[in-house]
C-alpha cells in the first residue's frame, strides 16, 4: 500500500516541477476515485491495478501535458473496467476529462466478425476522438508504453500480439506525431518479444564492444566540444550508439552483421539559435570529411511531424563513419516530445490554442475512409500515417509529402480532385514522364490538365500509392460511371464465383443474397455490383461472404434434421485413433507426424512403420514417401492411415515465404497471421537470392483449409513473391 502512495507522491513531484499552479487537490481526487473504482483488481504481476493508471499519468506528466490530461490518464480504464460511467466522471471532474477518458475507452459492447475488424473500429473511434482533441492519443500512447514495459508478466501469445500491434500502430503514430523518445522505446521493447533471439545477439555483441564504443564516443564528443568552445558557440554535445530496433532493422534490410554497420554511432549538437546550427555544420565539415549525398536540411524543409534538424554523415579520423544532428533547444523539445511540445491549453479552461492544421491529416484520413471495411481501412491507415515519405515540390516551391513509391497521379490528387480528374500528362524536373514514374525526394512536379480530359483510367488504381488518390478515383467512378460499374462488378463477381467453384444460382438464392447484402450494407444487387465495379469492395470479399452464408445454411439444414435422419459418420470402430489419425489394422500403436512434411488434417496422408518408434504419418506428396516407392525393402512398410474428427486440436506445420526486401514486410507477414488468429511457433528469416529473403514459419492450425486461408492472406501482401508448404 505504501508503495502506491509513494508512486503517487512521485507523480505530484513531477507535476509541480513543470506546472506549479496545478490543482493538486483535483488530481489527488482523480487518483483516489480511480483507486476506489478499481478496488481489488490486480495487474498480472500481482500489484494493485491502480499502479498502471499511475504509471500512465506519470508518462503524461513527463511530456508536459495539462491537468485534465493527467486526471484522464489516472481515470482512463474506469469506464472500460469498472462500474464508473461517463456521466459519473463528467459530474466529478468535468466534461473535458470525461470526453478524454471516453476517447481512450475501447468499444467493448460490440460483436465483431474478425480481430482485424475489432482493431480497426477501436482505432477509428480513437482517431475520431483524436481529431477533436489530440490529448486522446497522447494518453493512449502513455497507456500503451507502460503496458509494453510490463509485458514480461503476460503469456507469450499476449506478448507477441501486443508487441506486434505496438509496432504496427502505436510506434508509427508516435513517429507521425514527432514523439521520437516514446517511439524508440516502444520499438525497442516490442522487438524483444517479436524476435528475441536476434535481439539477444545484438545486445550481447553491443555489450562485448561497449568499452570500444564508449572510447570512440568520448573522443569525438570531446573534440567537438573543444572546437565549438574555441569559437564561442554555446552548445551541448552528446553521443550514443543507435537504438536496438534501428540496428535490427538495418541488419535485416541490408543483410549485414553488426560489425558491418558503418553508421552505428550518432552525435547531437544542441545550440541556441538557427544561425549557430549552420555555423556548427561548417565546423564539423572542417573537422571531419563529409560523405557525399548524406546531408539533409530538415530546418529549411521540416518533416510533416514538425521535426527540424540538420543531418550530416561524416568519416572520423579513425575511418569510422558517424552521423551528427544539429538543432536548437526548441527543435530538440519538438524532436523529443513532438506534438506535445506544441500543444498548449488556456490556463484552467482547456481551450485549444494549437494550430488545428497540424491535425488536418487525421480528419482527411477519416473522411476518405469512412465507408471502408476493416481490411481496407487498416491498409490505408498504415500507408497514410505510417509509411516512409517522399518530399516533392510544386513549380511554386510548395512542399508536398507523399508515401514512398508515389507517382505523378498521387501528386495530382494531393493538389485537388479536379487536378487529378483532368490530368493529361506530367513533367518531373522539366522532363515529360509516364504516369507510373516513381517520384523521388526533391523532384519538382508539374501536372498538365485539360477540360476535355476523359477522367481517370481504371488502370491508375494499380499504380498509385496513396489512399487519398485511390479514394478520389473511386469516388469519380462511383459518381460518373454507374452503368459501367454495374457491368464490371457483375463480371468480376461471376468470375470470382467460378474461381471459387460456387454455382451462380446458389449465390443468388434469396436467403443467401439477402444476408450478404445486409452485412455489406447494400440495398440491392446492383448496388453491390456497382461497388465492386468502382473498387468500393472486392469481388473476392463478397464471394467469401457468400461462401460463409452457404456454409451456415448447410449447417442449419443439418441441425434441423430429425435425429434418426442424420447419417452416422463412417469410422473404423475396430481401431483406436491417436492425434486424430486411425491406423488401418493396428491398435494401440504410437503415432507421430513426420517433420519432413508436417501433415495436418485435410492432407492426403500415408503411414510408415518405423523401427521402434511406431507409425510416422507423412503427406502423400512428401518427397521421402515418393522416393521410397522405388525401394522394395521400404515399400511394404507403408500402410493406410486416415483422419478422423480432430475437433479444435492444433497441428504444427511449416510454410516458406519468399519476399522482396523492403522495410516492414516481415511485420506485415506476422500481422497477417495474427489477424487470422494463427498461432506462430517459430519465425525465422534468412537471405535467399539477391534482393530476396526466405522466411520459414512454423504455425499451428486446425486443418488444411485454415492453412490455405493463411497462405492466401500472406500471398496478397505487397512484396511477397511465393508462399509454399515446406517439404524436407
Amino acid at each position: 500500500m505504501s508503495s502506491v502512495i509513494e508512486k503517487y507522491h512521485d507523480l505530484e513531484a513531477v507535476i509541480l516541477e513543470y506546472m506549479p499552479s496545478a490543482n493538486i487537490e483535483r488530481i489527488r481526487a482523480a487518483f483516489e476515485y480511480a483507486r476506489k473504482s478499481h478496488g481489488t483488481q490486480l495487474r498480472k504481476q500481482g500489484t494493485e491495478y491502480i499502479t498502471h493508471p499511475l504509471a500512465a499519468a506519470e508518462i503524461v506528466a513527463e511530456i508536459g501535458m495539462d491537468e485534465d490530461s493527467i486526471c484522464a490518464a489516472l481515470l482512463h480504464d474506469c469506464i472500460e473496467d469498472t462500474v464508473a460511467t461517463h456521466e459519473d466522471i463528467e459530474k466529478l471532474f468535468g466534461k473535458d476529462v470525461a470526453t478524454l477518458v471516453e476517447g481512450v475507452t475501447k468499444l467493448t459492447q460490440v460483436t465483431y466478425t474478425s480481430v482485424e475488424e475489432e482493431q480497426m473500429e477501436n482505432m477509428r473511434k480513437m482517431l475520431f476522438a483524436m481529431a477533436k482533441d489530440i490529448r486522446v492519443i497522447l494518453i493512449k500512447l502513455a497507456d500503451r508504453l507502460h503496458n509494453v514495459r510490463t509485458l514480461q508478466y503476460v503469456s507469450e501469445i499476449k506478448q507477441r500480439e501486443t508487441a506486434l500491434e505496438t509496432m504496427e500502430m502505436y510506434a508509427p503514430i508516435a513517429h507521425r506525431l514527432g514523439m521520437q523518445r516514446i517511439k524508440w522505446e516502444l520499438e525497442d521493447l516490442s522487438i524483444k518479444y517479436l524476435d528475441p533471439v536476434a535481439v539477444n545477439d545484438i545486445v550481447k555483441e553491443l555489450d562485448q564492444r561497449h568499452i570500444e564504443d564508449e572510447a570512440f564516443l568520448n573522443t569525438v564528443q570531446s573534440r567537438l566540444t573543444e572546437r565549438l568552445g574555441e569559437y564561442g558557440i554555446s552548445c551541448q554535445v552528446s553521443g550514443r550508439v543507435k537504438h536496438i530496433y534501428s540496428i535490427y532493422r538495418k541488419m535485416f534490410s541490408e543483410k549485414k552483421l553488426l560489425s558491418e554497420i558503418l553508421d552505428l554511432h550518432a552525435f547531437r549538437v544542441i545550440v541556441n539559435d538557427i544561425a549557430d546550427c549552420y555555423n556548427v555544420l561548417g565546423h564539423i565539415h572542417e573537422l571531419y570529411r563529409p560523405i557525399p549525398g548524406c546531408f539533409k536540411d530538415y530546418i529549411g524543409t521540416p518533416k510533416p511531424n514538425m521535426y527540424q534538424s540538420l543531418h550530416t554523415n561524416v568519416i572520423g579520423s579513425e575511418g569510422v563513419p558517424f552521423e551528427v544532428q544539429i538543432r536548437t533547444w526548441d527543435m530538440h523539445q519538438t524532436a523529443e516530445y513532438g506534438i506535445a511540445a506544441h500543444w498548449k491549453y488556456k490556463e484552467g479552461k482547456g481551450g485549444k490554442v494549437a494550430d488545428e492544421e497540424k491535425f488536418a491529416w487525421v480528419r482527411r484520413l477519416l473522411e476518405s475512409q469512412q465507408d471502408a471495411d476493416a481490411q481496407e481501412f487498416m491498409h490505408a491507415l498504415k500507408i497514410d500515417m505510417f509509411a516512409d515519405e517522399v518530399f516533392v515540390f510544386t513549380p511554386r516551391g510548395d512542399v508536398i509529402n507523399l508515401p514512398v513509391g508515389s507517382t505523378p497521379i498521387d501528386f495530382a490528387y494531393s493538389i485537388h480532385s479536379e487536378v487529378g480528374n483532368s490530368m493529361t500528362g506530367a513533367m518531373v524536373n522539366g522532363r515529360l514522364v509516364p504516369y507510373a514514374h516513381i517520384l523521388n525526394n526533391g523532384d519538382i512536379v508539374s501536372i498538365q490538365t485539360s477540360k476535355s480530359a476523359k477522367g481517370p483510367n481504371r488502370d491508375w488504381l494499380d499504380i498509385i500509392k496513396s489512399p487519398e488518390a485511390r479514394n478520389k478515383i473511386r469516388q469519380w467512378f462511383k459518381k460518373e460511371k454507374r452503368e459501367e460499374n454495374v457491368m464490371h462488378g457483375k463480371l468480376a463477381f461471376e468470375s470470382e464465383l467460378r474461381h471459387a467453384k460456387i454455382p451462380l444460382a446458389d449465390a443468388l438464392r434469396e436467403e443467401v443474397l439477402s444476408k450478404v447484402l445486409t452485412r455489406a450494407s447494400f440495398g440491392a444487387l446492383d448496388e453491390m455490383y456497382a461497388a465492386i465495379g468502382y473498387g468500393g469492395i472486392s469481388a473476392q470479399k463478397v464471394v467469401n461472404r457468400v461462401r460463409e452464408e452457404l456454409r451456415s445454411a448447410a449447417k442449419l439444414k443439418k441441425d434441423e434434421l430429425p435425429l434418426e435422419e442424420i447419417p452416422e459418420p463412417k469410422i473404423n470402430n475396430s481401431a483406436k485413433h491417436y492425434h486424430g489419425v486411425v491406423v488401418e489394422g493396428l491398435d494401440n500403436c504410437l503415432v507421430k507426424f513426420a517433420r519432413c512434411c508436417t501433415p495436418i488434417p485435410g492432407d492426403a496422408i500415408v503411414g510408415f512403420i518405423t523401427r521402434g518408434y511406431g507409425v510416422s504419418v507423412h503427406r502423400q506428396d512428401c518427397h521421402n514417401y515418393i522416393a521410397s516407392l522405388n525401394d522394395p525393402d521400404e515399400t511394404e512398410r507403408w500402410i493406410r492411415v486416415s483422419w478422423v474428427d480432430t475437433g479444435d486440436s492444433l497441428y504444427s506445420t511449416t510454410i516458406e515465404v519468399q519476399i522482396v526486401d523492403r522495410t516492414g514486410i516481415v511485420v506485415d507477414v506476422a500481422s497477417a497471421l495474427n489477424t487470422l488468429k494463427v498461432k506462430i511457433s517459430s519465425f525465422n528469416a534468412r537471405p535467399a537470392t539477391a534482393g530476396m529473403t526466405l522466411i520459414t514459419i512454423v504455425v499451428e492450425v486446425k486443418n488444411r483449409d485454415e492453412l490455405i486461408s493463411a497462405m492466401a492472406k500472406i500471398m496478397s501482401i505487397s512484396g511477397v513473391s511465393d508462399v509454399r508448404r515446406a517439404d524436407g
Side-chain angles (χ1 to χ4, degrees), residues 553-562 566-567:
K555 182 178 183 302
L556 184 63
K557 187 175 181 180
K558 180 180 176 181
D559 290 345
E560 288 174 350
L561 285 173
I566 299 177

Side-chain angles (χ1 to χ4, degrees), residues 175-216:
H175 172 69
R176 193 68 167 82
L177 297 175
M179 306 178 73
Q180 297 308 310
R181 179 178 288 188
I182 287 179
K183 169 187 177 280
W184 287 331
E185 189 175 356
L186 288 172
E187 289 175 338
D188 284 355
L189 290 170
S190 296
I191 198 65
K192 279 176 22 182
Y193 297 99
L194 293 174
D195 196 345
V197 175
V199 171
N200 287 338
D201 288 344
I202 293 171
V203 172
K204 194 179 298 181
E205 193 166 348
L206 286 175
D207 288 343
Q208 290 171 354
R209 53 181 291 167
H210 174 71
I211 296 175
E212 179 186 337
D213 286 334
E214 281 296 308
F216 176 78

Side-chain angles (χ1 to χ4, degrees), residues 437-708:
H437 177 82
I438 303 299
L439 300 177
N440 296 307
N441 275 321
D443 283 346
I444 300 172
V445 187
S446 174
I447 302 298
Q448 299 169 337
T449 60
S450 170
K451 290 183 179 179
S452 59
K454 296 180 180 179
N457 189 305
R458 289 184 188 275
D459 293 340
W460 291 6
L461 292 168
D462 296 327
I463 60 175
I464 58 174
K465 187 70 174 178
S466 65
E468 183 180 10
R470 187 175 305 279
N471 181 64
K472 288 178 178 178
I473 291 172
R474 286 175 175 173
Q475 291 303 317
W476 187 88
F477 278 107
K478 181 179 181 180
K479 181 180 178 182
E480 304 290 338
K481 302 281 185 177
R482 176 171 171 78
E483 289 185 9
E484 185 181 321
N485 291 335
V486 171
M487 180 186 69
H488 276 286
K490 185 174 186 294
L491 291 173
F493 177 65
E494 292 177 358
S495 173
E496 190 63 35
L497 282 174
R498 286 193 296 273
H499 181 72
K501 294 183 173 59
I502 298 175
L504 178 62
D506 286 353
L508 297 182
R509 276 165 33 197
E510 176 61 29
E511 68 272 21
V512 173
L513 184 61
S514 61
K515 290 181 180 178
V516 170
L517 294 177
T518 300
R519 279 186 61 187
S521 301
F522 295 122
L525 182 59
D526 274 3
E527 284 184 29
M528 184 186 81
Y529 286 154
I532 295 172
Y534 72 76
I537 191 170
S538 70
Q540 182 183 27
K541 192 160 294 183
V542 175
V543 169
N544 286 341
R545 288 177 177 171
V546 169
R547 184 187 286 109
E548 289 173 17
E549 293 303 332
L550 286 171
R551 284 175 178 168
S552 297
K555 182 178 183 302
L556 184 63
K557 187 175 181 180
K558 180 180 176 181
D559 290 345
E560 288 174 350
L561 285 173
L563 191 61
E564 61 273 11
E565 291 183 25
I566 299 177
E568 289 291 329
K570 295 179 180 179
I571 296 178
N572 182 355
N573 292 317
S574 63
K576 295 182 180 179
H577 65 87
Y578 297 87
H579 306 300
V581 172
V582 168
V583 180
E584 184 176 301
L586 293 178
D587 197 5
N588 295 325
C589 69
L590 178 66
V591 171
K592 65 174 185 175
F593 296 106
R595 292 184 180 179
C596 55
C597 56
T598 55
I600 56 176
D603 288 333
I605 53 176
V606 64
F608 182 76
I609 302 174
T610 66
R611 291 184 173 91
Y613 296 96
V615 173
S616 176
V617 179
H618 294 252
R619 300 201 322 251
Q620 288 186 13
D621 61 353
C622 174
H623 74 276
N624 284 330
Y625 169 59
I626 295 169
S628 72
L629 295 179
N630 297 320
D631 185 341
D633 293 335
E634 291 194 350
T635 302
E636 294 180 358
R637 294 166 64 185
W638 292 101
I639 61 172
R640 290 185 180 181
V641 295
S642 58
W643 299 103
V644 294
D645 183 17
T646 55
D648 290 327
S649 300
L650 294 177
Y651 296 79
S652 290
T653 192
T654 305
I655 57 175
E656 294 176 342
V657 183
Q658 189 148 341
I659 62 172
V660 177
D661 292 340
R662 70 165 170 81
T663 302
I665 191 169
V666 174
V667 173
D668 287 347
V669 171
S671 173
L673 294 172
N674 183 59
T675 298
L676 295 173
K677 290 187 176 180
V678 173
K679 184 179 177 183
I680 302 173
S681 300
S682 173
F683 193 106
N684 295 298
R686 60 180 174 82
T689 56
M692 303 294 288
T693 294
L694 184 67
I695 304 176
T696 303
I697 313 171
V698 178
V699 296
E700 294 188 15
V701 294
K702 294 177 184 176
N703 50 47
R704 181 183 171 86
D705 287 346
E706 190 170 279
L707 180 67
I708 289 173

